[in-house]
Amino acid sequence: MKSKPSIPLFLILIASAALSGCGGTTTTTTTPPPPPPNTPDTRATALEAQMTQAQKLQLVMGGVTSNLTYGYTVPRGAAGYVPGIPALNIPTLYLADGSVGVGNGVGPATALPSSLASAASWDTAEATKYGNIIGTELADYGINVNLGGNSNLIGREPRDGRTFETKGEDPILAGKITAAHLNAIQAQHIIADIKHFAFNDQETGRTTANAIIDDRGGRESDLLAFEIGVKDSNVQSVMCSYNLTNSVYDCENPSLLLQTLKTDWAFPGFVMSDWWATHSTSNAAIAGLDQEEPNQQYFGPLGAAITAGQVPQSRLDDMVHRILRAMFEVGIFDNPQTLQPIPAAADAAVAQDIEEQGAVLLKNASNQLPLNASTIQSIAVIGSHADTAVLSGGGSAQVQPTSGVLTGPQPCPPCWATVTWDISSPLKAIQATAPSAKVQYADGSDLNAATSLASSSQVAIVFVSQWASEGMDETTLNLTDLTSAAPIDQDALVAAIAAANPNTIVVIETGNPIVMPWLTPVNSVLEAWYPGQAGGPAIADLLFGIANPSGKLPITFPASVSQLPRPNIPQPPDGYTPFNVNYTEGYNVGYKWYDMNNLTPLFPFGYGLSYTTFTITNPAIVNNLSSTTTPNFQVTFTLANTGKVAGAEVAQVYLGLPSSLNEPPRRLVGWQKVPLQPGASQAVTIEIDQNDSSHPMSYWDTGSSSWQVSSGVYTVYLGNSEAASSLTTVGTINVSQ
Ligand code: BGC
């Protein structure tokens, strides 16, 4: 059965017949046709008609003149730029990173919690605030193209060093959160970007990794996240990635760029290369690359390739049209930027709110948390520079926080990224929140000093962290200290503190899932991610119940590396020969893989605790239309806060597809985060709409190259995590041909 079109064809036919039948006059008039509407397309066409060939070529390549991979400077501290054409009033494009705040050398900016924390809020309104901070600060700095939007589906490789920039392992959650970021950025008249297209799921050998994946596997996993991100946000640029997919470099991959992106998804914007990810002139141009970044190594000779008949002139015209069209679409021509100071204090407050919505409480034995500020007498704070700062992720996403930085070494690899801590002291925030308690700090380098402080304190709070960066992957899921010349064995530190104090709480600052060999004796665990420059006060608020944790894991925490599809990360033979990374798991990424293989992870996708309790009652499936064959339905239920404090629960709807399709037992298809006062309840309706960009009930049919809904029985589950034990079967839907 085909997906249902959003407007039935017969209705369209009836409407047009009625219109043409009215009127009844045969008089012919010679009224001239109205002028074409002033759309981004018509404006781009009109402007392009005035351009010389040299001016057209100027727009399709970056302005950086050096071929060096790093160490160049760009105006406004950006990562790249495309010089404008003053004679035609075409402004310069300044391209800057911004996955977790404004990056590169642009200037001090608000260091937001990692994008993964934004996804952990499971809240698109919260994600809109995230994008708004990035967009408004970029605009204040005079940057008009953002290189954020990292949508690689990293649950495929949870050790990936860029996991902190992504939105987790589920294509629908990742796509929706990304779209909210991108919409908010483009609302500031900035071209947003979604990257790295596609299958750039490991950093190890990222420029030569050859992702091998079948058509259906790709469409239902990474590509689905991109499809949602592109369609729900009107994003105007896509960055193709360094790696190869099915043996073709992504920036000259017609299957990805021409077929999937530009034809199937009707993407009207432009494709830029990742930095130095272009590999050819004619092949890349013909395959759909529209702009080489950051320099002109391959598109410098594009004019000659056109003259020689190797690339049609129409292709250059299309590239230019797409770039100009994008500029008109977001309003770059009509809204000149005003360079001005960023509202640092106000934005830091938003960063704190985002962290409080995204931190995930993983364990809370004996309701150890929240701490009571008025009765607690002594607290040991241990480890991870918690006296001064919180950790951030490295690479091109690195932000220079407005709160200041504490830098560490440059671990090799990747060498070009420096460990950077955002100044924000959890210790001081804890002291300020519990002023009558004795709060003392040990840095954890001296195990005896740390355990003796822990054993003489009422409560011990151990901070652990793991640095991650673009250009590298974690070698293990165990905590590894890359941040100091004398690394601390943090697993041993937590175990020792837990042995010394039965009231031990662990706060984790990581960009990736970790394993927790010390979990059993520890009372409470809070995953704070990289919490951003307001991390100190946010963590204190969460520990003392001023904020109630409501984040849910957007990525599974494995029990061990042996559970992963590839326990050993495939390694490149050298720096230049492509090597295969076989994505044999296909669309079974993250929790889908665990479910398919009957593996029990440490913490499941969608999991997170609260200081209050919730119940879900009266769940039911309501069909949108009267027919039982319609692929649109709603899940209704009552959600109640049965505890003593205000909190928010994320109700999650999963769908099991007919068993004949060989899909995983369930996929996330909808959710809603509902804030509730204690004792309050709310009727909730979650709509599952087959016309949505997420194709919730469909599988990708390779034969017809289209999304299809199979006949058969669909099982609907509702609960507060992906684990079977957290889910209720709401009922089934029978789809028949
Ligand atoms: C990264 C991109 C980034 C670009 C510009 C590359 O190394 O992969 O994500 O946008 O640099 O800084």
Side-chain angles (χ1 to χ4, degrees):
M1 190 178 110
K2 284 240 153 90
S3 304
K4 193 166 72 66
S6 47
I7 304 172
L9 191 57
F10 72 89
L11 282 184
I12 297 172
L13 291 175
I14 291 168
S16 54
L19 285 176
S20 57
C22 296
T25 171
T26 53
T27 311
T28 51
T29 58
T30 51
T31 314
N38 217 9
T39 65
D41 272 312
T42 55
R43 294 176 76 183
T45 303
L47 184 53
E48 193 172 358
Q50 301 172 45
M51 293 172 76
T52 64
Q53 186 77 340
Q55 287 170 332
K56 289 179 183 176
L57 287 165
Q58 185 177 321
L59 282 195
V60 302
M61 55 197 106
V64 170
T65 47
S66 156
N67 271 340
L68 294 174
T69 47
Y70 284 96
Y72 60 86
T73 52
V74 169
R76 301 194 178 172
Y81 75 114
V82 179
I85 302 169
L88 295 174
N89 292 323
I90 298 177
T92 296
L93 293 178
Y94 297 97
L95 293 64
D97 282 286
S99 283
V100 300
V102 176
N104 313 127
V106 172
T110 303
L112 292 162
S114 58
S115 281
L116 198 60
S118 177
S121 75
W122 290 59
D123 187 344
T124 50
E126 205 63 29
T128 298
K129 292 184 199 167
Y130 195 98
N132 185 52
I133 297 280
I134 295 173
T136 51
E137 293 191 2
L138 284 166
D140 289 344
Y141 273 116
I143 299 292
N144 49 18
V145 183
N146 174 231
L147 311 172
N150 191 333
S151 301
N152 295 120
L153 221 51
I154 290 298
R156 204 182 273 292
E157 181 40 79
R159 293 159 293 186
D160 183 292
R162 302 190 81 167
T163 302
F164 74 94
E165 297 180 44
T166 74
K167 288 85 190 169
E169 69 189 24
D170 181 82
I172 302 185
L173 180 65
K176 297 292 177 189
I177 296 290
T178 300
H181 288 185
L182 301 179
N183 271 320
I185 290 165
Q186 287 201 168
Q188 300 306 318
H189 312 299
I190 285 166
I191 295 174
D193 179 71
I194 188 166
K195 69 185 185 185
H196 309 80
F197 193 64
F199 304 108
N200 181 188
D201 298 324
Q202 71 171 49
E203 287 295 282
T204 304
R206 66 173 175 166
T207 57
T208 49
N210 179 22
I212 306 290
I213 187 162
D214 67 287
D215 183 38
R216 181 171 164 191
R219 290 285 188 153
E220 292 188 24
S221 60
D222 294 45
L223 294 181
L224 179 55
F226 279 99
E227 180 175 358
I228 297 166
V230 165
K231 289 183 175 172
D232 284 16
S233 74
N234 192 29
V235 63
Q236 289 300 308
S237 76
V238 170
M239 183 189 290
C240 52
S241 52
Y242 289 119
N243 56 289
L244 305 86
T245 297
N246 295 329
S247 304
V248 183
Y249 281 108
D250 281 11
C251 287
E252 55 186 50
N253 193 318
S255 165
L256 285 175
L257 306 184
L258 275 186
Q259 186 60 48
T260 304
L261 179 67
K262 291 184 175 176
T263 305
D264 297 346
W265 302 344
F267 171 66
F270 64 100
V271 177
M272 70 170 80
S273 70
D274 199 344
W275 267 227
W276 305 281
T278 309
H279 288 269
S280 60
T281 304
S282 304
N283 281 355
I286 291 167
L289 180 67
D290 300 305
Q291 192 177 70
E292 178 182 12
E293 289 296 346
N295 58 358
Q296 317 88 37
Q297 188 177 356
Y298 289 101
F299 276 13
L302 184 60
I306 293 169
T307 308
Q310 291 155 355
V311 176
Q313 176 67 32
S314 58
R315 183 71 261 276
L316 174 63
D317 293 344
D318 177 49
M319 296 174 182
V320 173
H321 183 87
R322 286 170 174 276
I323 295 163
L324 291 175
R325 190 200 169 288
M327 295 170 72
F328 283 117
E329 177 77 39
V330 305
I332 287 179
F333 285 93
D334 303 329
N335 300 275
Q337 291 172 317
T338 309
L339 275 63
Q340 58 192 354
I342 63 167
D347 288 1
V350 179
Q352 179 171 338
D353 173 59
I354 292 168
E355 170 62 10
E356 291 176 1
Q357 296 291 324
V360 183
L361 183 63
L362 295 173
K363 182 176 181 187
N364 198 17
S366 319
N367 290 330
Q368 164 95 56
L369 292 175
L371 299 172
N372 186 332
S374 51
T375 57
I376 196 160
Q377 286 159 6
S378 57
I379 305 172
V381 174
I382 295 163
S384 261
H385 290 297
D387 56 335
T388 330
V390 292
L391 191 55
S392 69
S396 57
Q398 184 73 62
V399 178
Q400 305 168 41
T402 54
S403 60
V405 293
L406 174 74
T407 51
Q410 283 190 326
C412 254
C415 298
W416 54 273
T418 302
V419 173
T420 302
W421 301 80
D422 302 339
I423 298 290
S424 179
S425 165
L427 177 74
K428 285 187 190 148
I430 290 167
Q431 280 166 335
T433 310
S436 45
K438 185 174 176 193
V439 186
Q440 291 172 282
Y441 178 71
D443 68 8
S445 60
D446 178 341
L447 203 54
N448 286 335
T451 48
S452 95
L453 175 63
S455 59
S456 63
S457 305
Q458 209 178 346
V459 166
I461 307 175
V462 194
F463 285 76
V464 294
S465 59
Q466 167 138 309
W467 187 69
S469 171
E470 176 184 343
M472 60 173 268
D473 292 324
E474 306 292 9
T475 51
T476 158
L477 288 169
N478 284 80
L479 285 168
T480 311
D481 181 9
L482 296 170
T483 63
S484 54
I488 293 176
D489 180 343
Q490 298 178 91
D491 283 342
L493 175 66
V494 179
I497 300 301
N501 187 321
N503 301 321
T504 294
I505 297 156
V506 180
V507 177
I508 305 170
E509 294 168 13
T510 61
N512 301 70
I514 55 166
V515 292
M516 304 177 193
W518 35 258
L519 185 61
T520 306
V522 155
N523 265 358
S524 303
V525 179
L526 180 72
E527 173 56 85
W529 312 110
Y530 296 141
Q533 68 172 71
I539 290 168
D541 279 2
L542 289 158
L543 294 176
F544 285 90
I546 297 163
N548 187 350
S550 61
K552 302 279 182 180
L553 291 180
I555 188 165
T556 306
F557 276 42
S560 79
V561 285
S562 65
Q563 292 187 328
L564 303 179
R566 283 168 291 286
N568 296 311
I569 299 177
Q571 301 290 321
D574 50 46
Y576 46 89
T577 312
F579 66 106
N580 290 355
V581 183
N582 291 304
Y583 290 175
T584 47
E585 72 281 6
Y587 47 71
N588 292 314
V589 174
Y591 64 90
K592 297 170 183 169
W593 167 262
Y594 293 82
D595 288 347
M596 279 300 247
N597 294 285
N598 289 315
L599 297 166
T600 305
L602 185 62
F603 293 109
F605 176 82
Y607 175 80
L609 301 171
S610 168
Y611 297 148
T612 188
T613 49
F614 299 96
T615 57
I616 290 176
T617 50
N618 300 323
I621 301 170
V622 181
N623 271 343
N624 202 16
L625 303 173
S626 54
S627 160
T628 51
T629 58
T630 179
N632 291 58
F633 65 93
Q634 296 146 353
V635 178
T636 60
F637 54 96
T638 302
L639 185 65
N641 179 345
T642 50
K644 294 196 168 46
V645 292
E649 177 65 305
V650 180
Q652 303 162 35
V653 177
Y654 293 86
L655 189 68
L657 273 63
S659 52
S660 58
L661 291 174
N662 197 30
E663 289 281 332
R666 52 195 167 269
R667 58 164 70 157
L668 178 74
V669 289
W671 66 90
Q672 193 168 321
K673 187 167 190 172
V674 185
L676 285 171
Q677 292 301 316
S681 62
Q682 188 178 317
V684 182
T685 299
I686 298 179
E687 167 91 13
I688 310 302
D689 180 0
Q690 183 55 17
N691 293 313
D692 187 72
S693 58
S694 58
H695 311 287
M697 295 184 77
S698 299
Y699 70 97
W700 178 259
D701 181 51
T702 297
S704 62
S705 274
S706 62
W707 291 99
Q708 298 288 325
V709 177
S710 166
S711 55
V713 178
Y714 292 72
T715 309
V716 180
Y717 305 96
L718 176 65
N720 62 1
S721 95
E722 188 279 326
S725 56
S726 313
L727 295 170
T728 302
T729 303
V730 185
T732 55
I733 295 175
N734 258 305
V735 175
S736 53
Q737 296 282 8

